[in-house]
Amino acid sequence: MSDLLQQTDHLFFDKTGMDKDSVLKSVNNTLHGGDDGELFLEYSLSESLVWDDGHLKSASYDTDQGFGLRAVAGDSFGFAHSSEFSEQAIKRAGETVRGIYQGYGGTMAAAPIGTNRHLYTDSNPLAAMSFEKKVQLLGTIDQYLRDKDPAICQVSASLSGSWQAIQVLRAGGFCTADIRPMVRLNISVVVEKDGRMESGNYGFGGRKIYDDLFIKENWQHAADEALREAHVNLDARPAPAGEMTVVLGNGWPGVLLHEAVGHGLEGDFNRKKSSSFAGRMGDQVAAKGVTVVDDGTMTDLRGSITVDDEGTPSRRNVLIEDGKLVGYMQDRMNARLMGMEPTGNGRRESYAYHPMPRMTNTFMEAGQHDPAEIIQSVKKGIYAANFGGGQVDITSGKFVFEASEAYLIEDGKITAPVKGATLIGNGFDVMNKISMIGNDLALDPGIGVCGKDGQGVPAGVGQPTCRVDGVTVGGTETG
């Protein structure tokens, strides 16, 4: 971690003219008398290139920097942020947030433990490859797809990257740092047949530099998958409706687990008792065999973080074990108020936002069944291979999710593709209706963005193939 501190010291102090000892003294003065708090420093670079209709449609490059200062008293906090890096700006912010301490005498919580690990490179992906090569890749993808299939009427491809450097400074002189790269390639294809048009999408990326995205086998796989999904939808018939068995595919379908269950296991919702999982620690909340984990320590994954945005090292947190609720995801404030440990899940979108409990990489662990065995066990049902958008109510756990790629299962075989299949249910109920879990756990390819209270952060999802009995499926035909 010392090399990360040296690199970020150069950004935040050497280049700005701020004196680190003076800033730490200001942090101490601000946070004295409270329960917790931190100064969060950030410098970030980002870029996005979009190819559409046979040419580069847009290209953007942004630089952002600033700080967020938070003081915590009980279950309340004061927060101020600014894009100005100066000791005077930090002192002014301190005067503002200290107002939360009026009439309050707190005891400062112990600082997080330190860490020297590195889960991803600290190289800047934006600087590692020329603009011309990035544009060339997008044009090559466009030409590859159009040469492959005359049914294609539109190709869209986007390339994005970012490099974020942070420091977290706390009372008592604690200081930690992280440098976080991120890249992503996304491809969308529209095909037409007999006047009907359908689309397919595929994306991948992670906390790495662009090299992996430029490997021919990788971008061709992404392009082929987008085209394959478009043709599946082109041949799809209307989905049946009714209560039936649903088999969820592995990988990205874990987004349903993320939304319908994951948010309900975040500490703030449970402290406020607004989650359907509140007060149920130790209870059987899912079927036997179901184990759900949030793990921010997985190398190079989109949702991974060496330390969270409060300075706590990320870790592997088991949330549900063999169907029993055994843990929540916690930031520092909610953990303290609930008498629990912080779990490395205090995350924020940027310096302009306060941290709160958020997921990292959330997934269901593998079971014992072969995926083919699971399909063969279903007489009549739906195989949901991929998901698009959805909505979830955290308090009730109710969700509505649309499958972007789905098929009928008839007599133990995957048959015709269907369009318009919508899964409707309750997260708690669905978790208890899981009857078979596959041995093919997969994480998503690196495309997840998690939204909460107006903040978006990168996240990973995953699961093995699993069978869920008695799910309500909304469609356009009566099943």
Side-chain angles (χ1 to χ4, degrees):
M1 188 62 67
S2 60
D3 58 331
L4 296 181
L5 278 171
Q6 290 174 2
Q7 290 184 64
T8 53
D9 275 350
H10 177 68
L11 285 171
F12 299 129
F13 299 104
D14 297 344
K15 293 183 70 172
T16 65
M18 291 196 300
D19 179 73
K20 190 169 186 177
D21 289 337
S22 295
V23 170
L24 283 168
K25 182 178 180 180
S26 181
V27 171
N28 274 329
N29 291 338
T30 296
L31 300 183
H32 178 72
D35 290 322
D36 210 342
E38 73 287 313
L39 175 65
F40 180 85
L41 306 175
E42 178 186 3
Y43 177 84
S44 64
L45 306 170
S46 62
E47 70 176 0
S48 176
L49 290 78
V50 178
W51 183 281
D52 196 19
D53 291 330
H55 66 279
L56 185 66
K57 187 174 183 179
S58 66
S60 63
Y61 185 93
D62 296 298
T63 303
D64 196 13
Q65 65 177 30
F67 71 85
L69 181 60
R70 184 180 64 146
V72 180
D75 61 355
S76 302
F77 65 88
F79 180 73
H81 65 89
S82 173
S83 59
E84 176 188 341
F85 273 145
S86 71
E87 294 174 37
Q88 292 74 22
I90 292 173
K91 287 179 181 178
R92 288 196 300 269
E95 293 168 0
T96 299
V97 302
R98 274 194 61 81
I100 199 73
Y101 291 160
Q102 290 186 1
Y104 187 85
T107 301
M108 183 59 58
I113 60 171
T115 178
N116 290 314
R117 67 185 178 191
H118 288 74
L119 300 177
Y120 30 78
T121 180
D122 56 9
S123 297
N124 181 357
L126 282 66
M129 194 165 292
S130 70
F131 178 79
E132 289 75 18
K133 283 187 176 180
K134 296 167 189 174
V135 176
Q136 183 181 30
L137 173 65
L138 298 178
T140 300
I141 292 171
D142 178 276
Q143 194 61 53
Y144 168 78
L145 283 164
R146 293 184 187 277
D147 289 345
K148 186 168 186 173
D149 192 341
I152 290 176
C153 55
Q154 184 176 358
V155 175
S156 299
S158 63
L159 192 66
S160 61
S162 64
W163 186 81
Q164 180 196 40
I166 70 160
Q167 269 199 24
V168 180
L169 294 81
R170 311 183 63 85
F174 173 89
C175 184
T176 191
D178 198 12
I179 294 179
R180 304 164 176 170
M182 185 74 75
V183 294
R184 175 175 171 175
L185 174 66
N186 200 77
I187 301 171
S188 177
V189 176
V190 178
V191 295
E192 182 178 8
K193 179 181 178 182
D194 299 328
R196 178 177 173 178
M197 300 173 68
E198 295 290 350
S199 64
N201 300 274
Y202 192 86
F204 71 104
R207 291 203 182 277
K208 55 186 76 175
I209 57 177
Y210 280 127
D211 290 17
D212 188 51
L213 279 59
F214 278 70
I215 296 173
K216 186 175 182 181
E217 291 79 5
N218 292 345
W219 65 254
Q220 280 190 350
H221 171 72
D224 292 344
E225 279 296 295
L227 181 59
R228 183 194 62 79
E229 185 179 277
H231 275 287
V232 167
N233 289 327
L234 198 61
D235 297 332
R237 66 177 70 170
E243 187 175 289
M244 61 189 77
T245 298
V246 173
V247 176
L248 303 173
N250 69 341
W252 178 246
V255 68
L256 191 152
L257 175 74
H258 169 103
E259 295 289 358
V261 177
H263 279 297
L265 297 176
E266 292 168 339
D268 49 355
F269 294 126
N270 287 279
R271 178 177 66 83
K272 298 172 184 177
K273 297 186 173 13
S274 59
S275 166
S276 56
F277 293 98
R280 304 208 57 181
M281 192 66 71
D283 289 356
Q284 195 80 22
V285 297
K288 295 281 289 183
V290 172
T291 295
V292 178
V293 174
D294 182 84
D295 190 347
T297 70
M298 306 174 80
T299 304
D300 295 339
L301 291 191
R302 183 174 174 86
S304 295
I305 45 175
T306 301
V307 295
D308 71 8
D309 296 325
E310 299 177 306
T312 306
S314 62
R315 70 186 199 187
R316 183 180 188 272
N317 297 298
V318 179
L319 307 173
I320 297 173
E321 187 171 23
D322 197 22
K324 288 186 178 181
L325 179 61
V326 295
Y328 298 130
M329 292 166 281
Q330 298 282 16
D331 64 349
R332 288 175 59 87
M333 185 178 82
N334 286 282
R336 176 175 50 80
L337 293 170
M338 296 178 72
M340 297 180 174
E341 290 185 4
T343 59
N345 290 92
R347 305 187 67 189
R348 64 181 96 203
E349 180 176 326
S350 75
Y351 69 86
Y353 297 87
H354 64 85
M356 56 182 151
R358 305 294 299 272
M359 286 173 273
T360 57
N361 302 299
T362 312
F363 56 91
M364 183 192 303
E365 289 198 327
Q368 303 298 318
H369 293 281
D370 186 281
E373 176 191 0
I374 296 176
I375 297 296
Q376 291 165 6
S377 72
V378 179
K379 177 72 173 176
K380 181 180 180 182
I382 293 287
Y383 174 60
N386 215 340
F387 281 97
Q391 294 181 330
V392 178
D393 182 279
I394 302 300
T395 302
S396 66
K398 293 180 179 178
F399 65 82
V400 178
F401 262 86
E402 181 181 354
S404 59
E405 181 184 351
Y407 304 83
L408 294 176
I409 303 176
E410 299 173 297
D411 296 322
K413 296 180 180 179
I414 295 174
T415 58
V418 293
K419 186 173 177 61
T422 302
L423 273 57
I424 304 167
N426 174 286
F428 178 79
D429 291 340
V430 166
M431 294 294 284
N432 280 279
K433 291 178 178 178
I434 295 174
S435 58
M436 298 177 76
I437 303 173
N439 57 12
D440 60 339
L441 168 65
L443 277 293
D444 78 278
I447 58 175
V449 177
C450 174
K452 177 180 176 180
D453 290 351
Q455 294 193 44
V457 296
V461 302
Q463 66 173 47
T465 300
C466 60
R467 171 177 166 157
V468 188
D469 297 321
V471 179
T472 300
V473 177
T476 53
E477 290 187 347
T478 303

